Amino acid sequence: MKGGMQQLMKQANQLQLKIKKMQEELATREYEASAGGEAVKVRVISDQKMSAIVISEDLMKSGDVEMLQDLIMTATNEALRKAKETQATEMEKVTGGFNFPGM
């Protein structure tokens, strides 16, 4: 019985290391999305921060502020969705589908 518990603890420690490594890797990834036929491109970092935004010159010349605002919001939300979805998928692979609070 004691050997089984030690093996279980060893596996738990290995899983914890895998999770930490995956979290560190995911924290460095960037995700990009565009809107308006690539008139606006947004790039975000996994920790939910925008790292870049590119707005086409033609869109800027149009002077349509409402359209620009909508495209920025659409592209940003899509990039954040991609980041969240990818992180959840990658962590599920590491944990085997187990949900660990705070991870």
Side-chain angles (χ1 to χ4, degrees):
M1 185 82 143
K2 187 176 180 183
M5 182 59 90
Q6 287 176 340
Q7 183 64 24
L8 185 60
M9 291 301 293
K10 182 179 177 182
Q11 289 174 343
N13 287 335
Q14 288 173 345
L15 180 58
Q16 187 177 19
L17 290 173
K18 285 181 183 178
I19 290 171
K20 184 177 181 187
K21 183 178 178 182
M22 179 56 68
Q23 287 174 325
E24 289 170 356
E25 180 187 325
L26 289 171
T28 65
R29 289 190 187 174
E30 288 188 324
Y31 303 86
E32 185 174 290
S34 63
E38 298 201 0
V40 172
K41 294 180 192 176
V42 172
R43 192 169 38 235
V44 298
I45 301 171
S46 293
D47 62 1
Q48 309 296 312
K49 294 179 184 171
M50 190 182 304
S51 61
I53 184 167
V54 177
I55 301 170
S56 76
E57 200 172 308
D58 290 340
L59 182 58
M60 290 300 295
K61 287 179 184 177
S62 76
D64 191 341
V65 174
E66 284 184 24
M67 181 190 302
L68 178 59
Q69 291 169 339
D70 288 344
L71 293 175
I72 290 170
M73 187 169 33
T74 299
T76 301
N77 287 336
E78 177 62 14
L80 291 171
R81 185 198 64 74
K82 285 181 182 180
K84 184 176 181 178
E85 186 177 280
T86 301
Q87 290 173 14
T89 300
E90 293 296 320
M91 288 306 291
E92 188 173 313
K93 288 178 188 176
V94 170
T95 63
F98 291 106
N99 186 9
F100 295 95
M103 295 276 175

